[in-house]
Short mmCIF file of all heavy atoms in Angstrom, two decimals:
data_model
loop_
_atom_site.label_atom_id
_atom_site.label_comp_id
_atom_site.label_asym_id
_atom_site.label_seq_id
_atom_site.Cartn_x
_atom_site.Cartn_y
_atom_site.Cartn_z
N ALA A 1269 -1.18 -7.98 17.41
CA ALA A 1269 -2.01 -7.97 16.20
C ALA A 1269 -1.98 -6.59 15.54
O ALA A 1269 -1.86 -6.49 14.32
CB ALA A 1269 -3.45 -8.36 16.54
N ILE A 1270 -2.06 -5.55 16.33
CA ILE A 1270 -2.00 -4.19 15.79
C ILE A 1270 -0.65 -3.96 15.13
O ILE A 1270 -0.58 -3.38 14.04
CB ILE A 1270 -2.27 -3.14 16.89
CG1 ILE A 1270 -3.73 -3.22 17.33
CG2 ILE A 1270 -1.92 -1.74 16.40
CD1 ILE A 1270 -4.04 -2.40 18.56
N GLY A 1271 0.41 -4.44 15.74
CA GLY A 1271 1.73 -4.31 15.14
C GLY A 1271 1.82 -5.01 13.80
O GLY A 1271 2.39 -4.47 12.84
N ARG A 1272 1.23 -6.20 13.70
CA ARG A 1272 1.23 -6.92 12.42
C ARG A 1272 0.43 -6.15 11.37
O ARG A 1272 0.84 -6.07 10.21
CB ARG A 1272 0.65 -8.32 12.61
CG ARG A 1272 1.59 -9.26 13.33
CD ARG A 1272 1.15 -10.71 13.24
NE ARG A 1272 -0.21 -10.93 13.69
CZ ARG A 1272 -0.57 -11.25 14.92
NH1 ARG A 1272 0.34 -11.37 15.87
NH2 ARG A 1272 -1.84 -11.46 15.22
N ILE A 1273 -0.70 -5.58 11.77
CA ILE A 1273 -1.52 -4.80 10.83
C ILE A 1273 -0.73 -3.59 10.34
O ILE A 1273 -0.70 -3.31 9.14
CB ILE A 1273 -2.84 -4.35 11.50
CG1 ILE A 1273 -3.75 -5.55 11.74
CG2 ILE A 1273 -3.55 -3.30 10.64
CD1 ILE A 1273 -4.93 -5.26 12.65
N GLU A 1274 -0.09 -2.89 11.26
CA GLU A 1274 0.67 -1.70 10.88
C GLU A 1274 1.82 -2.06 9.94
O GLU A 1274 2.08 -1.35 8.96
CB GLU A 1274 1.19 -0.97 12.11
CG GLU A 1274 0.09 -0.29 12.89
CD GLU A 1274 0.57 0.32 14.19
OE1 GLU A 1274 1.63 -0.09 14.72
OE2 GLU A 1274 -0.12 1.23 14.68
N ARG A 1275 2.52 -3.16 10.22
CA ARG A 1275 3.62 -3.56 9.33
C ARG A 1275 3.11 -3.96 7.96
O ARG A 1275 3.72 -3.65 6.94
CB ARG A 1275 4.42 -4.70 9.98
CG ARG A 1275 5.28 -4.22 11.15
CD ARG A 1275 6.23 -5.30 11.64
NE ARG A 1275 5.57 -6.50 12.12
CZ ARG A 1275 5.04 -6.66 13.34
NH1 ARG A 1275 5.08 -5.67 14.21
NH2 ARG A 1275 4.46 -7.79 13.69
N ALA A 1276 1.96 -4.65 7.93
CA ALA A 1276 1.39 -5.04 6.64
C ALA A 1276 0.99 -3.81 5.83
O ALA A 1276 1.25 -3.74 4.62
CB ALA A 1276 0.17 -5.95 6.85
N LEU A 1277 0.38 -2.84 6.49
CA LEU A 1277 0.00 -1.61 5.79
C LEU A 1277 1.24 -0.89 5.25
O LEU A 1277 1.24 -0.38 4.13
CB LEU A 1277 -0.76 -0.67 6.72
CG LEU A 1277 -2.20 -1.04 7.01
CD1 LEU A 1277 -2.76 -0.14 8.10
CD2 LEU A 1277 -3.04 -0.94 5.76
N SER A 1278 2.27 -0.87 6.04
CA SER A 1278 3.50 -0.22 5.62
C SER A 1278 4.09 -0.91 4.39
O SER A 1278 4.52 -0.25 3.44
CB SER A 1278 4.51 -0.23 6.77
OG SER A 1278 5.71 0.35 6.36
N ARG A 1279 4.10 -2.24 4.41
CA ARG A 1279 4.61 -2.98 3.25
C ARG A 1279 3.76 -2.73 2.02
O ARG A 1279 4.28 -2.56 0.92
CB ARG A 1279 4.66 -4.48 3.56
CG ARG A 1279 5.77 -4.88 4.49
CD ARG A 1279 5.94 -6.40 4.54
NE ARG A 1279 4.72 -7.13 4.83
CZ ARG A 1279 4.28 -7.46 6.04
NH1 ARG A 1279 4.97 -7.08 7.11
NH2 ARG A 1279 3.18 -8.14 6.19
N MET A 1280 2.43 -2.69 2.21
CA MET A 1280 1.54 -2.45 1.07
C MET A 1280 1.79 -1.08 0.47
O MET A 1280 1.89 -0.94 -0.75
CB MET A 1280 0.07 -2.58 1.51
CG MET A 1280 -0.34 -4.00 1.77
SD MET A 1280 -1.97 -4.23 2.54
CE MET A 1280 -2.96 -2.92 1.97
N GLU A 1281 1.88 -0.08 1.33
CA GLU A 1281 2.07 1.28 0.82
C GLU A 1281 3.43 1.45 0.16
O GLU A 1281 3.55 2.13 -0.85
CB GLU A 1281 1.89 2.29 1.94
CG GLU A 1281 0.43 2.45 2.32
CD GLU A 1281 0.18 3.61 3.26
OE1 GLU A 1281 1.12 4.07 3.93
OE2 GLU A 1281 -0.97 4.06 3.29
N SER A 1282 4.46 0.80 0.69
CA SER A 1282 5.78 0.96 0.09
C SER A 1282 5.91 0.20 -1.23
O SER A 1282 6.77 0.53 -2.04
CB SER A 1282 6.87 0.52 1.06
OG SER A 1282 6.79 -0.87 1.29
N SER A 1283 5.06 -0.79 -1.44
CA SER A 1283 5.16 -1.57 -2.67
C SER A 1283 4.35 -0.99 -3.82
O SER A 1283 4.45 -1.46 -4.95
CB SER A 1283 4.72 -3.01 -2.41
OG SER A 1283 3.33 -3.07 -2.17
N ILE A 1284 3.55 0.02 -3.54
CA ILE A 1284 2.72 0.61 -4.60
C ILE A 1284 3.60 1.39 -5.57
O ILE A 1284 4.44 2.18 -5.18
CB ILE A 1284 1.66 1.56 -4.00
CG1 ILE A 1284 0.66 0.76 -3.19
CG2 ILE A 1284 0.95 2.35 -5.09
CD1 ILE A 1284 -0.33 1.63 -2.44
N ASP A 1285 3.40 1.12 -6.83
CA ASP A 1285 4.09 1.89 -7.87
C ASP A 1285 3.33 3.20 -8.02
O ASP A 1285 2.24 3.24 -8.56
CB ASP A 1285 4.10 1.10 -9.17
CG ASP A 1285 4.75 1.86 -10.31
OD1 ASP A 1285 5.34 2.93 -10.07
OD2 ASP A 1285 4.67 1.38 -11.44
N ARG A 1286 3.91 4.26 -7.50
CA ARG A 1286 3.21 5.56 -7.45
C ARG A 1286 2.77 6.03 -8.84
O ARG A 1286 1.67 6.54 -9.00
CB ARG A 1286 4.10 6.62 -6.81
CG ARG A 1286 4.45 6.33 -5.38
CD ARG A 1286 3.26 6.47 -4.49
NE ARG A 1286 3.66 6.20 -3.12
CZ ARG A 1286 2.85 5.75 -2.21
NH1 ARG A 1286 1.60 5.51 -2.49
NH2 ARG A 1286 3.27 5.52 -0.99
N SER A 1287 3.59 5.87 -9.82
CA SER A 1287 3.21 6.36 -11.15
C SER A 1287 2.03 5.57 -11.70
O SER A 1287 1.14 6.11 -12.35
CB SER A 1287 4.38 6.29 -12.12
OG SER A 1287 4.81 4.95 -12.29
N ARG A 1288 1.99 4.27 -11.42
CA ARG A 1288 0.88 3.44 -11.90
C ARG A 1288 -0.41 3.81 -11.18
O ARG A 1288 -1.47 3.91 -11.78
CB ARG A 1288 1.21 1.97 -11.68
CG ARG A 1288 0.20 1.07 -12.35
CD ARG A 1288 0.67 -0.36 -12.29
NE ARG A 1288 -0.41 -1.12 -11.70
CZ ARG A 1288 -0.29 -2.30 -11.20
NH1 ARG A 1288 0.85 -2.90 -11.18
NH2 ARG A 1288 -1.32 -2.93 -10.71
N SER A 1289 -0.34 4.00 -9.85
CA SER A 1289 -1.57 4.32 -9.11
C SER A 1289 -2.10 5.71 -9.49
O SER A 1289 -3.30 5.94 -9.47
CB SER A 1289 -1.33 4.23 -7.61
OG SER A 1289 -0.46 5.24 -7.18
N ASP A 1290 -1.18 6.63 -9.82
CA ASP A 1290 -1.63 7.95 -10.24
C ASP A 1290 -2.32 7.91 -11.59
O ASP A 1290 -3.20 8.71 -11.87
CB ASP A 1290 -0.45 8.93 -10.29
CG ASP A 1290 0.06 9.28 -8.90
OD1 ASP A 1290 -0.68 9.05 -7.93
OD2 ASP A 1290 1.19 9.77 -8.80
N SER A 1291 -1.93 6.97 -12.44
CA SER A 1291 -2.55 6.90 -13.76
C SER A 1291 -3.84 6.07 -13.74
O SER A 1291 -4.53 5.99 -14.75
CB SER A 1291 -1.57 6.31 -14.78
OG SER A 1291 -1.27 4.97 -14.43
N ASP A 1292 -4.14 5.43 -12.63
CA ASP A 1292 -5.35 4.63 -12.50
C ASP A 1292 -6.21 5.18 -11.37
O ASP A 1292 -6.04 4.80 -10.21
CB ASP A 1292 -4.98 3.17 -12.24
CG ASP A 1292 -6.17 2.24 -12.24
OD1 ASP A 1292 -7.33 2.72 -12.24
OD2 ASP A 1292 -5.95 1.02 -12.26
N PRO A 1293 -7.12 6.11 -11.68
CA PRO A 1293 -7.92 6.75 -10.63
C PRO A 1293 -8.75 5.75 -9.82
O PRO A 1293 -8.95 5.94 -8.61
CB PRO A 1293 -8.82 7.72 -11.38
CG PRO A 1293 -8.38 7.72 -12.79
CD PRO A 1293 -7.42 6.60 -13.00
N GLU A 1294 -9.23 4.68 -10.45
CA GLU A 1294 -10.03 3.70 -9.72
C GLU A 1294 -9.18 2.98 -8.68
O GLU A 1294 -9.60 2.79 -7.54
CB GLU A 1294 -10.62 2.67 -10.68
CG GLU A 1294 -11.52 1.65 -9.99
CD GLU A 1294 -12.11 0.64 -10.94
OE1 GLU A 1294 -12.17 0.90 -12.15
OE2 GLU A 1294 -12.50 -0.43 -10.45
N LEU A 1295 -7.95 2.62 -9.05
CA LEU A 1295 -7.05 1.98 -8.11
C LEU A 1295 -6.72 2.92 -6.95
O LEU A 1295 -6.71 2.52 -5.78
CB LEU A 1295 -5.76 1.54 -8.81
CG LEU A 1295 -4.71 0.86 -7.94
CD1 LEU A 1295 -5.26 -0.42 -7.31
CD2 LEU A 1295 -3.47 0.57 -8.76
#
């Protein structure tokens, strides 16, 4: 379960559009 959580977090972080998140402080 921990492995699945870590992989999901990794996928979420890698899919974030950095420029978009930087321009949206709330996000």
Side-chain angles (χ1 to χ4, degrees):
I1270 291 170
R1272 287 193 305 269
I1273 291 168
E1274 289 175 339
R1275 287 189 300 278
L1277 285 172
S1278 178
R1279 287 191 307 270
M1280 287 171 31
E1281 287 190 338
S1282 66
S1283 70
I1284 293 174
D1285 178 8
R1286 297 290 181 207
S1287 62
R1288 189 171 127 197
S1289 68
D1290 289 342
S1291 64
D1292 186 348
E1294 183 180 340
L1295 179 60

